[in-house]
């Protein structure tokens, strides 16, 4: 229970809010005497520095994570509550019948095994930390229940209240992740047309691989309906823009590969500091809730600072007092669709390993606001969710996903990583870590490591590129142990980098231990390597500069391909691009032109190369594959490949020039890429008028970069030129010289417009003005702005 009013870690007067906002802000100034809360075991001191970063000082691991849960609920309650509702399948009870399908899908991805056994198998201390985190979230909710006027603004606008959390739900809800299921269906449909090779134009296989249709798969029988509940259209999200994004296949494909990151690790031998440097900038969605929240947790046996995912206990990117760590996505293929044959006499039976088996079935009741509750029956085949069933065809689709396996405890894995003290204990922590990741590591002894981690299924009889028969012959055979996945230890070069590119070593037995075939284009990685290789003594400021580097390797490739002789219509574009340094800066007119030309070239390439019968299945083209083909034109271009190639580029230059005039204005001297490439952040429920009126847009700044520059500022040109993804959190860690580390967070710690930390990092982020990440007790105390004491109720 709460003993005092809820608080914000700053008084309105101290924060200097504008008068209008100050009048709206709740009168809940800091209590220096402290706040009494239930669930904490001993007093916790929270020191907030002048940048708004809280430093939690606890007497136990449980209480340190209590502090994190409490603080993230203070700053991001609606964000984590909405996510929790979705994962628990409880949206309809708050928002009505339109969400029943989404709730059904969410519950289908609840683990149906023994939750108690899952929790009991975790490493020592991890469950206690998770329990503390949940208790902290619930303590903040209890404060707000006692004083509803202090609830985040969304609740009054939507007429809802936050849900209390249960630590068991963190192990139960595994999340609706489609993985590459839609890719498998697309390839099967292309194979049925005899056009499977055309898929490489959209999604080239890396490493090189020949398509293999699994024995017994009838590709002609595969349809879009086989995706069932995995198809976004089957589980609508009525909140406007969320659903529009999900229904756009091109945007889904772009977003999948945009969810990457950059990271590099510099050994002491290459560092100007004489210590390792670890830099990381995760590329996630930009335009809505910030996907990271920064906090520092200390307790006996724990000292960790960095960015966590709101709603997930622990720090995902940051450092302890012993080592720094970062991560980028590794594209492990963790999902497969299996085609099951069901019985004509009893549709609840499916054929598997030579006999009929009955689906595991669970009945669920979904509460619905303003309507009677709905009863749904969920089916599984050996723990694999049944996402589609067609009794008339004696057909069902089972979706195998690593997230549904026993021990797939991603919600607890980050805690285990934070509690680790060295590399061996990290390797033990990785056994919980499901998400496919390139893990970067550097410690105070000078050790540097890269390791692919995540659940990697063994596929003895197929490669995961198409659906497979579900008769048992193609089932997974366990997981590849983390120790058998690729890794690197103290490389001779003195540095290494990852940017979601194919990084499987040439001597890795990929044919026997398939990891995956779909990786991000190598442009960001190649540019990072180009810079790092030229720096014999890398500095902290060099990492900061590289995180904001906007040199475009695709632009260089395009400029090299401009024909010597161009048409009059293409001549202005050719001249401007030839004079350009290929830096996609915000103030560059040539960058604006380039961003108009490249989509035209990709569209022309698609029209020329994709057979008409396959165009509906291949909505977009791979940039790297196109540039490679244009550099070495072959018979696909016709009798005169070079001539046809030059004509295609000429036409794209001419069309791009006209688009630049349309979007940039009639005077090319006034063109600026940043004028179009704006960073605008709105509430994800902005389509709800009451929400839009309460949450002002965070806007006003343009930026350079695009999805292929190290400073990733991705966009989807079909929906405009605004930034849709990139690095909202950035860190550069001086390993051992911790107080020299730097970070940025967009747009700020809080999602409440009444807080001074709602958008206080927006301008810093646009300017690349990295801020100190204070860590030592002396540095934190020297820059303390506010203090709070949480004591047991």
């Amino acid at each position: 229970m709460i003993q005092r009013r809820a608080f914000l870690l700053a008084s309105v007067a101290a924060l200097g809010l504008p008068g209008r906002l100050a009048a709206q802000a709740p009168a809940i100034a800091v209590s220096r005497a402290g706040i009494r809360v239930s669930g904490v075991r001993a007093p916790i001191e929270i020191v907030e520095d002048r940048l708004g970063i809280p430093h939690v000082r606890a007497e136990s691991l449980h209480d340190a994570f209590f502090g994190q849960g409490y603080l993230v609920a203070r700053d991001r309650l609606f964000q984590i509550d909405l996510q929790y509702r979705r994962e628990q399948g409880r949206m309809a009870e708050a928002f009505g019948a339109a969400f029943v399908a989404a709730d059904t899908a969410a519950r289908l991805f609840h683990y149906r095994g023994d939750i108690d056994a899952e929790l009991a198998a975790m490493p020592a201390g991890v469950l206690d930390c998770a329990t503390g985190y949940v208790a902290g979230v619930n303590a903040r909710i209890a404060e707000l229940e006692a004083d509803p006027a202090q609830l985040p603004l969304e609740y009054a606008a939507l007429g809802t209240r936050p849900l209390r959390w249960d630590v068991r739900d963190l192990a139960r809800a595994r999340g609706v992740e489609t993985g590459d299921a839609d890719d498998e269906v697309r390839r099967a449909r292309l194979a049925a047309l005899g056009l499977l090779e055309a898929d490489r134009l959209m999604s080239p296989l890396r490493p090189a691989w020949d398509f293999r249709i699994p024995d017994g798969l009838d590709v002609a029988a595969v349809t879009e309906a086989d995706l069932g509940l995995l198809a976004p259209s089957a589980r609508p999200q009525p909140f406007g823009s969320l659903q529009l994004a999900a229904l756009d296949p091109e945007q889904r494909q772009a977003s999948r590969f945009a969810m990457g990151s950059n990271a590099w690790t510099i050994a002491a031998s290459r560092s100007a500091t004489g210590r390792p440097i670890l830099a990381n900038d995760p590329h996630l969605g930009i335009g809505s809730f910030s996907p990271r929240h920064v906090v520092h947790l200390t307790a006996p046996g724990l000292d960790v600072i960095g960015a966590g995912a709101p709603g997930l206990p622990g720090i995902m990117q940051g450092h302890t007092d012993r080592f720094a760590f970062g991560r980028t996505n590794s594209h492990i293929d963790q999902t497969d669709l299996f085609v099951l044959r069901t019985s004509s006499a009893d549709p609840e039976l499916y054929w598997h390993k030579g006999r009929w088996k009955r689906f595991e079935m669970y009945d669920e009741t979904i509460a619905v606001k303003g309507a009677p509750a709905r009863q749904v029956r969920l089916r599984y085949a050996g723990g694999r969710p049944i996402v589609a069933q067609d009794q008339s065809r004696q057909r069902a689709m089972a979706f195998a996903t690593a997230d549904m396996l026993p021990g797939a405890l991603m919600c607890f894995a980050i805690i285990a990583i934070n509690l680790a003290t060295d590399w061996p204990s990290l390797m033990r922590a990785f056994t919980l870590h499901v998400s496919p990741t390139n893990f970067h590591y550097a410690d105070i002894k000078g050790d540097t490591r890269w390791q692919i981690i995540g659940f990697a299924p063994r596929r003895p009889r197929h490669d995961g590129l198409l659906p497979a028969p579900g008769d048992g012959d193609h089932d997974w055979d366990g997981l590849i142990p983390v120790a058998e996945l690729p890794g690197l230890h103290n490389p001779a070069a003195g540095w290494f980098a990852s940017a979601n590119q194919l990084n499987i070593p040439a001597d890795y037995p990929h044919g026997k231990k398939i990891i995956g075939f779909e990786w991000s284009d190598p442009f960001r990685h190649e540019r990072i390597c180009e810079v790092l290789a030229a720096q014999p003594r890398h500095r902290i400021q060099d990492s900061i500069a590289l995180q904001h580097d906007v040199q475009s390797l695709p632009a260089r490739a395009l400029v090299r391909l401009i024909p010597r002789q161009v048409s009059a219509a293409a001549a202005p574009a050719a001249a401007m691009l030839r004079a350009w340094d290929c830096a996609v800066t915000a103030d560059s007119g040539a960058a604006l032109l380039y961003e108009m030309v490249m989509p035209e070239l990709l569209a022309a390439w698609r029209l020329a190369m994709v057979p008409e019968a396959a165009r509906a299945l291949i909505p977009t083209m791979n940039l790297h594959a196109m540039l490679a083909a244009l550099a070495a034109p072959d018979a696909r271009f016709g009798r005169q490949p070079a001539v046809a190639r030059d004509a295609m580029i000429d036409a794209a230059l001419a069309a791009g020039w006209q688009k630049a005039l349309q979007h940039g204005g009639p005077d090319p001297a006034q063109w600026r890429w940043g004028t179009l490439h704006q960073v605008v952040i709105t509430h994800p429920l902005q389509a709800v008028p009451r929400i839009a009126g309460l949450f002002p847009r965070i806007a006003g700044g343009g930026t350079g970069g695009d999805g292929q520059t190290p400073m990733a500022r991705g966009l989807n040109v079909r929906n405009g030129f605004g930034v849709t993804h990139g690095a909202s959190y950035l860190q550069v860690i001086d390993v051992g010289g911790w107080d020299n580390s730097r970070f940025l967070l967009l747009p700020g710690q809080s999602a409440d417009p009444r807080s001074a930390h709602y958008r206080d990092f927006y301008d810093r982020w646009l300017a690349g003005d990295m801020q100190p990440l204070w860590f030592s007790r002396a540095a934190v105390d020297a820059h303390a702005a506010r203090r709070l004491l949480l004591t047991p109720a």
Side-chain angles (χ1 to χ4, degrees):
M1 62 181 286
I2 178 67
Q3 300 292 328
R4 296 178 56 85
R5 278 177 74 94
F7 78 103
L8 294 176
L9 282 182
S11 69
V12 172
L15 295 177
L17 287 174
R20 183 176 61 84
L21 280 180
Q24 296 173 352
I28 43 176
V30 173
S31 169
R32 298 187 182 278
I35 294 178
R36 301 175 70 86
V37 292
S38 294
V40 67
R41 296 172 180 172
I44 300 174
E45 183 185 25
I46 299 173
V47 180
E48 186 183 40
D49 67 34
R50 62 178 178 80
L51 295 172
I53 306 306
H55 303 259
V56 177
R57 296 170 177 172
E59 297 180 19
S60 68
L61 296 174
H62 170 279
D63 283 357
F65 282 87
F66 179 102
Q68 186 189 20
Y70 182 89
L71 290 163
V72 78
R74 179 203 70 183
D75 293 337
R76 308 283 187 88
L77 179 59
F78 185 78
Q79 177 181 358
I80 65 173
D81 181 46
L82 186 66
Q83 174 182 306
Y84 188 77
R85 275 192 178 278
R86 283 177 173 166
E87 292 178 350
Q88 298 308 315
R90 297 180 62 181
M91 293 288 283
E93 72 177 77
F95 302 114
F99 285 91
V100 168
D103 283 351
T104 301
R107 296 185 189 206
L108 182 62
F109 285 83
H110 284 183
Y111 182 68
R112 300 297 173 172
D114 187 338
I115 296 294
D116 291 330
E118 293 283 285
L119 297 178
M122 279 190 290
V126 172
L127 180 58
D128 194 38
C129 293
T131 302
Y133 184 91
V134 168
V137 172
N138 287 335
R140 176 58 178 164
I141 293 173
E143 288 184 10
L144 300 173
E145 288 172 344
D147 188 1
Q150 308 308 320
L151 279 164
L153 301 173
E154 294 96 338
Y155 291 101
L158 299 171
T160 64
R161 287 292 183 266
L163 295 173
R164 290 292 188 105
W165 286 38
D166 186 331
V167 71
R168 294 168 60 84
D169 290 336
L170 299 185
R172 178 180 293 108
R174 300 295 175 89
V176 184
E177 292 290 342
T178 61
D180 67 342
D182 52 349
D183 295 333
E184 293 183 16
V185 168
R186 181 187 72 246
R187 293 190 188 101
R189 295 176 67 190
L190 286 169
L193 296 171
L195 298 172
L196 182 53
E197 287 298 316
D199 192 71
R200 298 179 190 273
L201 296 168
M202 176 177 175
S203 186
L205 301 186
R206 300 161 174 152
W209 192 259
D210 293 329
F211 284 114
R212 304 170 184 177
I213 296 176
D215 294 339
L217 176 66
D218 179 5
V219 294
V222 178
T223 70
E224 195 76 11
D226 287 332
L227 289 173
L229 284 175
L230 296 177
S233 58
R235 42 190 170 90
Q237 302 283 345
F239 287 138
S241 60
L242 296 178
Q243 180 68 3
L244 292 176
L247 289 176
D248 183 345
E250 182 175 342
Q251 185 163 334
R252 291 204 311 273
Q253 181 79 358
S255 296
R256 180 178 163 199
F257 288 98
M259 299 306 169
S261 306
N262 299 326
W264 51 88
T265 303
I266 312 297
S269 61
R270 294 280 296 225
S271 167
T273 67
R275 299 178 295 271
I277 295 172
L278 189 150
N280 189 199
D281 51 294
H283 304 164
L284 299 166
I286 288 178
S288 183
F289 289 141
S290 175
R292 291 291 182 264
H293 182 265
V294 181
V295 70
H296 181 189
L297 307 177
T298 58
L302 176 72
D303 197 355
V304 62
I305 190 172
L312 184 70
I315 303 302
M316 297 192 74
Q317 284 108 351
H319 69 81
T320 71
D321 55 343
R322 294 177 173 88
F323 62 84
F325 56 99
R327 60 179 54 230
T328 67
N329 275 10
S330 174
H331 293 292
I332 300 174
D333 183 357
Q334 297 184 311
T335 61
D336 279 318
L337 274 175
F338 288 96
V339 184
L340 305 180
R341 177 165 65 93
T342 58
S343 168
S344 59
D346 185 348
E348 305 296 0
L349 298 176
Y350 67 98
W351 186 258
H352 187 259
K353 291 189 179 295
R355 65 186 182 92
W356 293 106
K357 295 182 180 180
R358 187 166 295 277
F359 289 126
E360 306 106 61
M361 290 178 282
Y362 299 85
D363 293 326
E364 294 267 342
T365 300
I366 298 177
V368 182
K369 181 179 180 180
R374 303 283 184 89
Q375 305 297 319
V376 296
R377 174 163 289 182
L378 306 175
R379 296 171 175 82
Y380 302 82
R384 299 171 299 182
I386 301 302
V387 297
Q389 191 170 8
D390 186 342
Q391 295 182 20
S392 67
R393 300 173 65 199
Q394 295 175 241
R395 183 183 184 88
M397 303 299 293
F399 185 59
T401 170
D403 290 314
M404 291 292 285
L405 295 175
L409 297 169
M410 188 64 206
C411 281
F412 302 85
I414 305 304
I415 299 173
I417 288 172
N418 295 165
L419 298 182
T421 56
D422 53 20
W423 187 254
S425 54
L426 274 171
M427 287 294 285
R428 293 192 292 273
F430 294 157
T431 61
L432 300 177
H433 195 285
V434 185
S435 181
T437 299
N438 292 292
F439 193 86
H440 283 240
Y441 169 92
D443 67 24
I444 54 177
K445 296 179 181 178
D447 253 16
T448 61
R449 292 180 182 265
W450 157 75
Q451 177 70 46
I452 290 183
I453 64 174
F455 282 21
R458 292 187 186 274
R459 296 179 173 89
R461 292 200 56 197
H462 72 116
D463 55 20
L465 291 171
L466 284 87
D471 56 8
D473 287 350
H474 297 82
D475 285 1
W476 293 353
D477 183 22
L479 299 171
I480 303 172
V482 174
E484 296 180 17
L485 294 173
L488 194 63
H489 181 207
N490 290 337
W495 61 272
F496 52 88
S498 66
N500 322 114
Q501 82 289 355
L502 172 65
N503 56 2
I504 299 174
D507 60 353
Y508 181 79
H510 196 258
K512 296 180 180 179
K513 300 178 182 179
I514 291 173
I515 294 177
F517 295 97
E518 298 179 86
W519 306 79
S520 298
D521 282 345
F523 301 118
R524 285 183 288 112
H525 179 255
E526 290 174 357
R527 173 57 181 167
I528 291 166
C529 291
E530 179 180 82
V531 172
L532 293 180
Q535 293 174 337
R537 286 291 180 268
H538 186 85
R539 304 167 299 167
I540 294 291
Q541 53 264 47
D542 292 327
S543 273
I544 293 172
L546 185 50
Q547 287 181 332
H548 296 89
D549 185 281
V550 292
Q551 184 66 201
S552 170
L553 299 195
R556 288 186 193 172
L558 175 63
V559 171
R560 287 194 298 267
L561 289 168
I562 295 174
R564 292 182 181 179
Q565 300 294 325
V566 296
S567 66
M576 179 176 279
L577 291 177
R578 283 182 181 134
W580 180 39
D581 63 359
C582 297
V584 186
T585 57
D587 61 357
S588 170
L592 182 150
L593 173 62
Y594 163 74
E595 300 291 350
M596 303 298 142
V597 170
M598 193 60 87
E600 294 293 329
L601 188 55
L602 281 163
W605 171 247
R606 176 175 176 268
L607 193 63
M609 295 296 148
V610 179
E612 186 173 357
R615 286 177 193 160
L617 296 172
I618 302 179
T620 187
M621 303 291 276
N622 179 264
L623 179 59
H624 188 264
M626 180 193 73
L627 290 173
L630 292 174
D634 55 25
R636 290 177 295 174
F637 286 86
R639 291 184 177 180
Q640 296 180 298
V643 173
R645 182 268 317 271
D646 289 352
M648 183 182 294
I649 295 171
D650 188 286
L653 291 169
W657 183 261
Q658 293 303 313
K659 282 183 64 178
L661 290 170
Q662 175 187 348
H663 294 287
D667 182 3
Q670 300 301 314
W671 293 349
R672 301 290 184 270
W673 173 229
T675 303
L676 301 180
H677 201 39
Q678 293 282 305
V679 182
V680 178
I681 299 173
T682 62
H683 197 284
L685 308 189
Q686 193 76 3
V688 180
R690 287 169 295 173
I691 295 293
L694 290 169
F695 290 83
R697 297 164 78 247
I698 300 175
T703 182
D706 62 16
Q708 304 297 343
T709 54
M711 188 182 83
R713 299 286 189 268
L715 65 152
N716 184 336
V717 293
R718 291 178 58 183
N719 297 327
F721 303 102
V723 176
T724 59
H725 63 265
S728 53
Y729 172 77
L730 304 89
Q731 67 176 29
V732 176
I733 307 298
D734 183 348
V735 179
W738 305 118
D739 290 333
N740 300 323
S741 303
R742 295 292 183 266
F743 83 107
L744 279 174
L745 176 71
L746 178 75
Q749 284 276 80
S750 176
D752 190 332
R754 299 170 296 186
S755 168
H757 302 303
Y758 179 62
R759 59 160 295 159
D760 56 327
F761 266 79
Y762 179 79
D763 292 330
R764 292 169 175 148
W765 185 86
L766 283 173
D769 183 14
M770 300 277 280
Q771 297 297 302
L773 188 63
W774 294 300
F775 181 71
S776 69
R777 191 179 187 98
V780 171
D781 287 342
H783 297 93
R786 272 156 287 279
R787 295 175 183 267
L788 173 78
L789 190 67
L790 299 181
T791 56

